[in-house]
Structure formats: C-alpha cells, structure tokens
C-alpha cells in the first residue's frame, strides 16, 4: 500500500482503512472526529478570538532553519484557526507543500498569535531550541511576549 504523506490525513486514513477492510469503522470514527472538532471549536471560541492566527513549526534544522507546516488539517480545517499571512500565501498555491524549511530570520513572518512547535527529544535539538528561546528574535514574537 502506497499512502502519500501529502494527502490530507482523512484521505490517508480512509486508504488505510480500505486496505485493512475497515471502511465502515473508519467512517464512524471520522463522523465522531468531526463532531468532536465542532465541540472543541465552540469551547475554544471563548478563549481564542477568530481574528487570531495560529502557526505550527518543527524545530528541525535549527540553528539555521526551522520547518513551517502549511497543511495542518486539525488546526486549520477541523478547528478553523486562521493561519498567518505568510502561511496563507503558501496555502493558496495549487499543490502547495505540506511543509518547508524556512530561515530562522524569517520566523516572525510565519509566527502566528499562537505557536505550536515540535522539538525533537534528542539532546542536540533540545539545546538548539533552548538557544533560540534565549534570542531576541524569539522573545520579540507576539505569541511569546503574550505568553
């Protein structure tokens, strides 16, 4: 079974479910997923105004680059968070990439009002991320300043 990582995650889920003859169970799970996403959107609306943006990064590539994710279905579709303008520009492209490496100096362009960031568990990644968090670039991001 060849499941392309670039496919939306529910499409990947359906392909795998079909391959293991669990299509009916998958559709039940997907329906429940959408229901739960609606419930969580309503809960979050009281805490995160709709005009606020969210971004998702992976610290992969530090100290020179980081990875920005453009197609985080959970954040941008299921939970209906807005993405920052630089992310939106890429999302509007046909066949846009799932993610890309971006220079650390460009982090402010991609950083939303809220930031989710994955930091790998290895010591080198942890140290490099700690270095970034000590920089003026990081400390001046609105999401960081706002806690």
């Amino acid at each position: 079974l060849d499941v392309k990582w670039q496919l939306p995650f529910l499409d990947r889920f359906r392909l795998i479910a079909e391959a293991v003859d669990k299509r009916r169970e998958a559709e039940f799970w997907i329906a429940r997923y959408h229901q739960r996403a609606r419930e969580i959107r309503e809960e979050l609306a009281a805490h995160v105004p709709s005009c606020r943006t969210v971004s998702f990064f992976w610290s992969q590539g530090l100290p020179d680059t980081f990875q920005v994710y453009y197609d985080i279905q959970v954040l941008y579709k299921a939970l209906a968070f807005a993405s920052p303008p630089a992310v939106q520009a890429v999302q509007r492209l046909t066949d846009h990439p799932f993610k890309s490496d971006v220079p650390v100096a460009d982090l402010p362009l991609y950083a939303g009002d809220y930031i989710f960031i994955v930091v790998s568990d290895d010591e080198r990644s942890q140290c490099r991320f700690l270095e970034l968090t000590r920089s003026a670039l990081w400390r001046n991001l609105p999401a960081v300043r706002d806690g």
Side-chain angles (χ1 to χ4, degrees), residues 43-94:
E43 290 176 30
L44 289 173
H47 305 284
V48 181
S50 61
C51 62
R52 307 285 289 204
T53 59
V54 172
S55 52
F56 187 89
F57 304 132
W58 185 18
S59 66
Q60 182 74 19
L62 287 175
D64 302 318
T65 64
F66 65 96
Q67 291 184 335
V68 59
Y69 285 70
Y70 304 108
D71 199 14
I72 300 299
Q73 297 282 320
V74 174
L75 292 177
Y76 299 132
K77 299 237 182 346
L79 298 180
F81 285 126
S83 53
V87 173
Q88 288 177 19
V90 175
Q91 289 171 330
R92 283 192 292 271
L93 299 174
T94 304

Side-chain angles (χ1 to χ4, degrees), residues 76-147:
Y76 299 132
K77 299 237 182 346
L79 298 180
F81 285 126
S83 53
V87 173
Q88 288 177 19
V90 175
Q91 289 171 330
R92 283 192 292 271
L93 299 174
T94 304
D95 295 327
H96 66 78
F98 179 74
K99 64 180 179 172
S100 65
D101 292 325
V102 177
V104 169
D106 290 346
L107 184 62
L109 298 173
Y110 293 88
D113 299 308
Y114 296 87
I115 298 172
F116 293 88
I117 187 162
V118 172
V119 181
S120 299
D121 207 19
D122 62 279
E123 186 176 339
R124 181 173 185 238
S125 296
Q126 295 288 319
C127 288
R128 291 220 165 136
F129 181 67
L130 183 60
E131 289 171 12
L132 175 64
T133 63
R134 292 176 177 158
S135 72
L137 178 86
W138 180 262
R139 289 190 321 266
N140 287 319
L141 295 173
V144 175
R145 283 195 321 258
D146 292 343

Side-chain angles (χ1 to χ4, degrees), residues 2-39:
D2 182 20
V3 179
K4 304 272 188 260
W5 179 248
Q6 296 82 1
L7 289 173
F9 83 97
L10 290 178
D11 291 350
R12 292 192 313 263
F13 186 70
R14 284 183 171 110
L15 284 172
I16 294 167
E18 188 171 322
V20 297
D21 199 28
K22 297 286 185 182
R23 180 176 220 143
R24 184 172 175 215
E25 292 90 338
E27 292 305 321
F28 176 79
W29 184 91
I30 290 169
R32 178 68 183 124
Y33 168 83
H34 286 301
Q35 174 60 35
R36 187 72 181 119
R38 280 190 294 278
E39 293 167 2

